Amino acid sequence: MLNKPECKVEFDESGKAFGVTSEGETAKCKKVVCDPSYLPDKVKKVGRVARAICIMKHPIPDTKDSHSVQIILPKKQLKRKSDMYVFCCSYAHNVAPKGKFVAFVSTEAETDKPEIELKPGIDLLGPVEETFFDMYDRFEPVNAAEEDNCFLTTSYDATTHFETTVKDVLALYSKITGKELDLSVDLNAASAGEND
């Protein structure tokens, strides 16, 4: 049910999900995998993220003109409870028009003023053409997936390197299948297969 409006998870009398309905059509399933926005009664709020998206005409200063940069500002250095993350990419990655750079600055929100909280990260960027601020709540599932057939992801956190997102996906895979996902590659077997 990807890219469908107003999806509703359908439950039977025992509380188990059996399908998803959108535009009058129900897709039957054995398990529902979704983010917290689809089942708000099965999650709890665990925090808020403050984020800025900045448009620039240049790479981040003092990064050797890199078109891709990841910076983590430690919480101790900032006298905060959480680290701050800065990520920058550019037109070289086909995410912006030629000559433009896009930077993301984010942290776990400690106030309702993202402009002030994110200033240490934004100050690293040099001149910024335009900045868009955003705050959003973070949620984690509290349901028992084995009882309701609903497998929920956690919300995106403030990190910009996706490590926590990958861990969440791997944990979800194990929860759904009962197996650990093995991403190792046997190069000998792979090359032997090419020779067949």
Side-chain angles (χ1 to χ4, degrees), residues 156-171:
Y156 287 121
D157 62 15
T159 62
T160 53
H161 49 60
F162 297 108
E163 181 179 348
T164 53
T165 303
V166 170
K167 285 180 180 178
D168 187 32
V169 170
L170 292 173

Side-chain angles (χ1 to χ4, degrees), residues 36-53:
S37 68
Y38 289 94
L39 295 167
D41 58 326
K42 295 187 180 289
V43 297
K44 68 175 179 180
K45 181 178 171 182
V46 293
R48 279 188 102 195
V49 173
R51 178 178 62 182
I53 301 172

